[in-house]
Amino acid sequence: MTDVFQYTPGDSVLHRMNPVTKIFLTFCICMAAFLTDHLSVLIFLLFLDLMLGVIAGIPRKAFSIFRGLAKISLFLFALQALFVRRGNPVFWIITDEGLRTAGTVVLRLLVVCLPFALILAVTQVSDIANSMVQVLHVPYAYAFTLALTIRFIPLFMEEMSGIMEAQAARGIEFDTKNILKKFGLLLPLCAPLLISSMRQTGATATAARVRGFSLRTADSGYKKYGFGLVDLCAAVLSIALIAGAAWIR
Amino acid sequence: MIRIQSLTFRYEDSKVDALHDINLTIPDGSFLGIIGPAGAGKTTIAQCISGIIPHAVRGDFYGSVVIDGLDSADTPLTDLSRLVGTVFQDVERQIIFPVVEDELLYGLENFGVPREKIEERMTFALTHTGITSLRHRTISSLSGGQRQKVAIASLIALQPKILILDEPTGELDPGSSRKIFALLQELNRTYGITVVVIEQKIMLLCEFAKRLAVMDQGRIIREGSVREVLGNISRLEEIGVNCPRVARFSSLLGEQIRQEISVCVNVEEAEREARRVMG
Amino acid sequence: MIRVENVSYSYSSGATTVTDLSFHIQAGEFVAILGENGAGKTTTVKLIDGLLRPTKGRVLINGSDTARSRVSERAKQVGFLFQNPDRQICRNTVREEIAFGLRAVWGKKEEARIKARTQEMLDIFSFSGDEEVFALSKGQRQQVALASTLAVKPSVLILDEPTTGLDYRECTHIMNFIRDLNETEGTTVVMVCHDMEVVLDYAKRALVMAGGRLIADGSVHQIFRNVPVMEKASLLPPQIVQLAVRLGGEFSEADEAGELAELIAKKRKGG
């Protein structure tokens, strides 16, 4: 799972698309998912998400993210189905209304989360940050913080697994299969982990400072982020999605 | 030129001086190695030269650090950074972006290097650090030595007059460590960049540095050419500084034959000295 | 004691691998594993402790297959000191830190014994016990991690670059302690180390790795004089060994500065 947030180099249409367009597309997919209550529309959107993965040339990664999310979704589905009391009983305490609501919630979750993970897989964080500053005029400090956060996720995960390894080696049962127990063992480690990552973030901030962080303006970017035909098509598709979802509703 | 005068620094909340009355002049084109036991103040002095102290670290700062005529306390950190390139101890945390090219671009963009010059500067930095082929690679796919070179390249691109590095070979194997020092030597010789490097590996300093400064308890206790500093190795070993084995050998040989023997700093010299002694 | 039999390992990403490793380590040995970064040294020691499971072959410690038991159960037997002590340390004071490790291995019922042993370790390492761990220097934190690892009296101690980032004095202090342990208690030591001087001073046997394979296995004294092996592993022998070999003849076997100086002085008198 550690490589989920990491960039996969490539030359697909999605790689070449303006980062702002990609964010817009993602945003529109989310909007569409929230506008509609139809299961069929949600399934269509999910299919579209996975197709994006295929177009980006990373179908295997797309499906592995999907599998990861599906596990969480299954758990959520069960909870929802058990707790929704409206509608006609299907069997035991499960109702048809419960199943429908659970299905909608879970599908929505999948539809919304997938494109975000996909965009991160085909866009370098520096491009996201720079294009947001250039095109959307987002203040650089915010864009930079976002870029750094994404950059540090894999480092944080690596540190985490290193700690668990070291703890297992000294006899703490981090190699247990019981997830609850593992979680309990993990809690006391949170403080040192946070302290060390805070210290490291401080070092990175200083490193950015001595390389002229404060001199940066919206025009500083070397790479320019233009819009092309692909971006136009994607934008049209995005708007069509929202319009469609709103209309079918 | 770096001129440090009566510099004393104490970190906020600390009861002792991290640096105490330091006086040190580093002329242009120097290759200075700083060595000393843990807690001697090596990182602190590096941060004083790069301007991180007093601009980004709190504490009591007395005396002055003047870099190329600019007093570090009165000059904004970003102006100092144009002169001094700093490689931090933990290089992993210094690298900001996940791809080599972006890492190099970052400083160039910020310091407002004209667009038409950027490509030239990038090519220069990549070529001279020998990492042209890594330009589009992700940082996570690089080895420790390669990451160190990316950090150096991102500074070289900014054409600093001074490079300061805090234990750049800490986690590297002997082969990669030598490559980093060879690179620093080339930058020093060919472009006259002043190199100040904090390093525990005394053998690398003997081979590559021109001068050595030894620190202990916040003071510089000795400064001079490598040979001068290694002249009295027993004092160095006393404060916990590793000495090259051949230097120890030449000092022991001197004791054995009751004769003054000039200190040896590398194997070739030791061999010559041994053969001379045996006649 | 430790038997590594035809072990291969590949990460799921296909990154660093070790291929077809086989060696035995007897009880009480002091072994160094040498090689470049990426040669597979850390992978090898992790395989020994079972932190990684071999994709092929097996590792036996005292006759039992490491793949059949959990790493945490092995802590009694095998102590592992990492390059970065901060991953090991998770308590605020030195006393709590040492007691924490003991409690995990001995169980909470042994409180009296744990207290006694903690005090013993504090005395050995000259800690008062109330020091805040994260305010200590890296060398001192490494000592805390070592104290905590050794508290349970493991019969095997694995060290992954234990001297990285330490100054000469800290390094000597830790390594002397480990040597004493090896000599007096008979603790088996397996150490990954980049510093050839440290290897020469402390280890007796060396395993040399290159490209994930074991390319040489022998006494440190011999390995450092084996030019093709050292070249293949991109390693330089320690200075005194280089000097001794250059001088040749009766000097070529010297490993220490003092020994060599004495030999030369003798030759001068005699010659």
Side-chain angles (χ1 to χ4, degrees), chain C residues 171-230:
Chain C
C171 164
T172 315
H173 192 269
I174 283 196
M175 289 312 300
N176 284 348
F177 184 82
I178 290 167
R179 176 165 55 197
D180 283 353
L181 200 73
N182 173 256
E183 285 171 359
T184 56
E185 312 266 325
T187 308
T188 312
V189 181
V190 183
M191 160 175 88
V192 171
C193 188
H194 279 321
D195 189 333
M196 296 304 131
E197 310 284 357
V198 171
V199 172
L200 181 66
D201 289 349
Y202 297 95
K204 304 223 166 59
R205 175 177 162 199
L207 302 176
V208 187
M209 296 189 70
R213 288 172 188 278
L214 185 65
I215 60 163
D217 178 354
S219 75
V220 168
H221 179 84
Q222 282 164 355
I223 294 275
F224 280 155
R225 284 167 175 76
N226 188 334
V227 180
V229 163
M230 292 299 280

Side-chain angles (χ1 to χ4, degrees), chain B residues 38 173 203 239 245 271 275, chain C residues 37 167 169 197 201 246:
Chain B
D173 61 40
M203 255 107 77
I239 64 161
R245 296 297 161 94
E271 185 188 3
R275 294 201 187 281
Chain C
N37 283 343
D167 69 26
R169 199 174 2 196
E197 310 284 357
D201 289 349
R246 276 166 178 250

Side-chain angles (χ1 to χ4, degrees), chain B residues 212-249:
Chain B
L212 271 185
V214 183
M215 293 189 71
D216 188 35
Q217 297 178 4
R219 292 173 168 83
I220 291 185
I221 58 162
R222 195 169 297 169
E223 199 261 334
S225 73
V226 173
R227 202 171 298 278
E228 282 162 18
V229 169
L230 289 177
N232 180 2
I233 64 164
S234 53
R235 173 80 183 103
L236 295 182
E237 288 184 334
E238 217 169 274
I239 64 161
V241 170
N242 194 7
C243 289
R245 296 297 161 94
V246 287
R248 192 184 296 167
F249 162 78

Side-chain angles (χ1 to χ4, degrees), chain A residues 5-248:
Chain A
F5 291 98
Q6 274 177 30
Y7 176 67
T8 315
D11 194 34
S12 71
V13 178
L14 273 172
H15 279 89
R16 280 177 284 132
M17 201 182 275
N18 190 310
V20 173
T21 316
K22 290 189 242 187
I23 295 169
F24 183 66
L25 176 62
T26 311
F27 185 69
C28 288
I29 294 176
C30 297
M31 283 283 286
F34 282 107
L35 278 173
T36 189
D37 277 329
H38 287 274
L39 280 174
S40 52
V41 176
L42 285 170
I43 290 169
F44 169 75
L45 287 173
L46 183 62
F47 174 73
L48 188 78
D49 283 351
L50 291 171
M51 278 311 289
L52 285 178
V54 175
I55 294 170
I58 48 165
R60 279 178 62 191
K61 194 166 186 171
F63 279 101
S64 91
I65 299 170
F66 174 69
R67 262 201 308 277
L69 286 170
K71 279 182 202 156
I72 308 169
S73 306
L74 217 62
F75 178 67
L76 283 178
F77 183 85
L79 274 185
Q80 287 273 340
L82 283 173
F83 285 106
V84 174
R85 293 275 58 83
R86 284 166 284 116
N88 306 313
V90 183
F91 66 91
W92 192 40
I93 57 165
I94 312 279
T95 66
D96 58 349
E97 183 69 20
L99 284 177
R100 247 189 63 83
T101 318
T104 321
V105 167
V106 161
L107 272 172
R108 216 174 249 157
L109 178 83
L110 283 171
V111 169
V112 170
C113 290
L114 253 177
F116 275 107
L118 284 176
I119 294 297
L120 288 179
V122 296
T123 320
Q124 293 177 20
V125 276
S126 52
D127 287 335
I128 297 180
N130 287 335
S131 62
M132 275 164 66
V133 174
Q134 250 174 48
V135 181
L136 302 176
H137 298 284
V138 172
Y140 183 69
Y142 296 125
F144 183 73
T145 312
L146 175 79
L148 268 195
T149 312
I150 294 169
R151 152 106 172 96
F152 280 126
I153 290 171
L155 289 183
F156 191 78
M157 306 262 259
E158 200 183 294
E159 189 65 29
M160 200 73 185
S161 65
I163 287 177
M164 290 204 269
E165 198 172 53
Q167 297 298 329
R170 68 184 292 202
I172 319 291
E173 282 180 82
F174 267 101
D175 42 3
T176 174
K177 293 226 165 65
N178 183 340
I179 293 182
L180 283 178
K181 188 168 184 185
K182 199 166 180 171
F183 189 73
L185 289 169
L186 214 52
L187 277 180
L189 293 181
C190 286
L193 191 63
L194 272 177
I195 291 169
S196 80
S197 56
M198 288 285 280
R199 202 167 32 192
Q200 286 150 354
T201 318
T204 311
T206 314
R209 246 183 105 176
V210 296
R211 280 198 288 150
F213 173 77
S214 59
L215 300 174
R216 197 170 181 100
T217 64
D219 300 325
S220 291
Y222 176 64
K223 294 180 188 164
K224 292 291 171 210
Y225 300 91
F227 292 93
L229 192 61
V230 224
D231 297 291
L232 185 68
C233 296
V236 170
L237 172 73
S238 309
I239 293 165
L241 278 177
I242 294 196
W247 186 62
I248 294 173

